Amino acid sequence: MNSATFKGGTHPFEGKSLSENSEIRFAEFSGDYVFPMSQHIGAPAKPCVNVGDHVLAGQKIGEAQGFISADVISSVSGTVKKVEPRMQVSGQPQMSVVIESDGKFETVSGIGEMNDWQSFSKDDIRKAVKDAGITGMGGAGFPTYVKLMPKDDEAIDYFIANGSECEPYLTSDYRLMMEEGEKIVAGLKICLMLFPNAKGVVAIEDNKPKAIAHMTELCKGEQRIEVRALKTKYPEGGERQLINAVTGRYINSSMLPADVGAIVDNVATIIAIYEAVALSTPLMEKVITITGDAVAEPSNLRVRIGSSYKDALLFVGGLKKEAKKVICGGPMMGQALFDLDVPVTKPSSALCVFEHDEVAEKPTTPCIRCARCVNACPEFLVPPMMVKAATNGDLEGFEALNGMECMECGTCSYVCPARRPLTQIFKQARKMVMNKRRVEAAEKRQREELERIASEAAEAARAAALERLK
Ligand code: SF4
Ligand code: SF4
């Protein structure tokens, strides 16, 4: 197999065998469901229900605010118990709607109704996607309808269904390709209706030969869709790396994929597009992987958005060993979790629980200048110099070294023999630069406002003086 790839990257232990053969099971829970108003990039949604309201599954409970935002849809029927900040995976509280499920899961009327989507106009498709509250389900959470509205539909020549799932241990996308591949093909056909010059590419890492064979079979006879095998290498599924591997084009952090004629959506997002457009079904569920060597029964579960990770873990039998490390997401880019009672959201992908914390268990030693991090960085950065600038508090130096191009992929930390916490340092430095930019922008706005007031005052004084001279 001649698999496409990008420059740099690494090949961490895959760990997928723990759950890759676990068919998706539906797991439903009683009790409270928590719906954060910001499950996406952009402005948080605004709660549009009040405490005491009775809601149905499929009902909008959070209204998108502004262009880059997304509606939040209830996945259960029940009573709104609270509208208040609740703890999230990030460790930060965030405004949320808490619904006490009545256990009936009654939906608003019309959900599940089949549509003649082939006759839909572009506006119909985009509206269905927007109303369904769909955001990227592969991690970033970018509002999908915004992605489907590039400046020029004709300029898009690649629509990529991201099935690479390069994060170790994660298998939910693999299971979706194996079990719901037809929906991916139909969803891709819907997306291609928006972009007349685009070809659809289902991109899959070559460590999933069964998914490649299955999707290839499903795409037989589809003139505009092909399946492309990618080399198994982390972070092959990163948007920039994927675009490069499939099209040979590069984007940086200040560009959108559409700037190089590409749109990328995760396979789960494409299924959500299909369900919204063809089955009048908003985004209410998420397939996640619950895995790791401490988990009793590593599994792929379909859960209602708003469910707690704690319930999902109990559903698969809880832990069989004492856990030393709990990660929300995959081990490369996921976030350490200290409280399992946080909700599954639209971009959630996995819960990984391990009996060892290799990072904490082995000491960090000084840099030996081996340059492994430099060779592995998929963004062609120089991590040792960036670390020096960041730890010296030299944010300008960090920016000058293109530190803001870092996608926090974790590759440099993974390959570093000295176990330097490179990615954590870059994460912190990037946050500080973004805060600095925010403060500078606010100061600039304030300065401009003061200048405007001063100029208006001067103008008024001049007019008054002229008036007096008359
Ligand atoms: S975390 Fe940043 S610096 Fe490290 S390999 Fe990834 S992109 Fe490069
Ligand atoms: S991989 Fe680690 S030890 Fe090697 S140059 Fe990079 S930071 Fe230094």
Side-chain angles (χ1 to χ4, degrees), residues 271-308:
I271 290 176
I273 292 172
Y274 167 78
E275 291 180 340
V277 176
L279 301 175
S280 322
T281 303
L283 180 56
M284 296 189 285
E285 295 168 355
K286 186 76 215 265
V287 177
I288 55 170
T289 305
I290 309 283
T291 188
D293 56 10
V295 172
E297 196 189 342
S299 304
N300 295 295
L301 299 184
R302 178 184 296 282
V303 297
R304 292 179 185 271
I305 288 170
S307 310
S308 104

Side-chain angles (χ1 to χ4, degrees), residues 174-185 202 204 208-220 227:
Y174 171 68
R175 290 309 320 171
L176 283 171
M177 288 187 280
M178 294 302 290
E179 297 176 43
E180 301 185 19
E182 292 85 351
K183 288 186 181 176
I184 297 170
V185 178
V202 185
I204 308 173
K208 305 174 191 67
K210 285 186 189 163
I212 293 173
H214 182 59
M215 291 305 301
T216 303
E217 184 61 30
L218 292 176
C219 293
K220 248 186 205 161
V227 175

Side-chain angles (χ1 to χ4, degrees), residues 45 48 72 85 97 110 117 212 222 242 254 265 277 314 344 354 371-372 406 440 450:
C48 55
V72 178
V97 171
W117 56 267
I212 293 173
E222 297 293 345
L242 186 63
S254 59
D265 266 319
V277 176
L314 288 175
V344 172
F354 300 107
R372 282 190 207 173
C406 170
E440 283 169 359
L450 287 173

Side-chain angles (χ1 to χ4, degrees), residues 235 373 376-383 386 403 405-413 422-423 426:
C373 55
C377 176
E379 291 295 323
F380 319 121
L381 301 174
V382 187
M386 287 156 61
E405 291 300 314
C406 170
M407 48 186 260
E408 301 173 10
C409 67
T411 304
C412 50
S413 302
L422 305 168
T423 312
F426 301 152

